[in-house]
Amino acid sequence: MAREKKIYPLADGLSTQDTFAVLGDIEKFKKHKHAWKVWQALKEFRCTAYPVAEGLGRLDGSKVYSTLTELTDKVTVIVPCLLPEKLTSLVPDAVAAGCSKIWFQEQTWSKDLQEECDRAGLEVIRGCVLRHRIYPSKISLRYLSPCYWHGLRDAKVPLKRYGR
């Protein structure tokens, strides 16, 4: 008998049932920076998440897509992890991919991008994915993470329980 997948709420109407495309570049994925952390967190939340970075073939055994248009009708949410200057084609690519929402991380949102999204009819969500992680209490370094403090009162996704 197959177990039902539990669905947990995330930010502003998003849930773990959505499918995500994490948009970054080679450096942000290879050097385990924010894009890699977001992708890993979404996978820990048991979400379907696709990494998108130009010039990167595979990442930790997963296929990396070079553009958002390769994910046409596969994703519902795009999570950009690049500065606004590098997101010039984000909105047209999101529309072409059939996406309905963009979840802007800290420092990726701009007024221009907001206006473009409004014109295209895309829903904008702001805030960090990492705010929804449960940080282990055994590690006292969790208090140094700004995501821990910013997401103190946000909905959390429980960690996977293996063996059950």
Side-chain angles (χ1 to χ4, degrees):
M1 185 164 107
R3 245 191 315 158
E4 276 187 46
K5 181 181 176 184
K6 291 190 178 180
I7 299 169
Y8 297 99
L10 295 172
D12 297 333
L14 296 177
S15 71
T16 55
Q17 187 176 19
D18 289 309
T19 54
F20 298 86
V22 180
L23 183 61
D25 57 14
I26 292 176
E27 181 184 332
K28 293 202 183 274
F29 279 114
K30 282 279 193 179
K31 293 188 177 181
H32 294 195
K33 291 192 175 185
H34 192 73
W36 183 84
K37 290 176 186 176
V38 166
W39 177 62
Q40 286 294 326
L42 289 169
K43 284 177 38 178
E44 286 174 14
F45 298 165
R46 294 173 291 285
C47 298
T48 304
Y50 302 100
V52 179
E54 210 171 306
L56 190 62
R58 295 194 81 67
L59 179 68
D60 297 343
S62 296
K63 180 181 178 185
V64 178
Y65 295 87
S66 59
T67 63
L68 289 171
T69 52
E70 289 182 43
L71 293 168
T72 301
D73 297 329
K74 284 188 178 181
V75 294
T76 55
V77 182
I78 295 174
V79 184
C81 297
L82 297 168
L83 294 175
E85 301 85 51
K86 295 184 179 183
L87 298 173
T88 54
S89 66
L90 174 66
V91 175
D93 289 349
V95 171
C99 177
S100 59
K101 301 172 186 171
I102 298 179
W103 189 357
F104 286 100
Q105 301 301 288
E106 305 295 329
Q107 300 177 3
T108 63
W109 178 88
S110 72
K111 283 186 179 182
D112 295 336
L113 285 171
Q114 177 73 47
E115 290 169 2
E116 268 189 81
C117 289
D118 291 342
R119 279 194 300 271
L122 296 173
E123 185 179 339
V124 171
I125 295 104
R126 291 175 63 188
C128 185
V129 170
L130 302 178
R131 295 168 69 163
H132 300 281
R133 274 185 76 199
I134 294 178
Y135 291 89
S137 60
K138 293 177 185 175
I139 301 171
S140 61
L141 295 176
R142 70 181 175 166
Y143 300 114
L144 298 177
S145 171
C147 298
Y148 171 80
W149 293 106
H150 292 210
L152 205 53
R153 294 190 174 97
D154 288 338
K156 305 291 183 197
V157 177
L159 297 172
K160 286 184 186 177
R161 290 174 34 195
Y162 294 99
R164 293 191 182 212

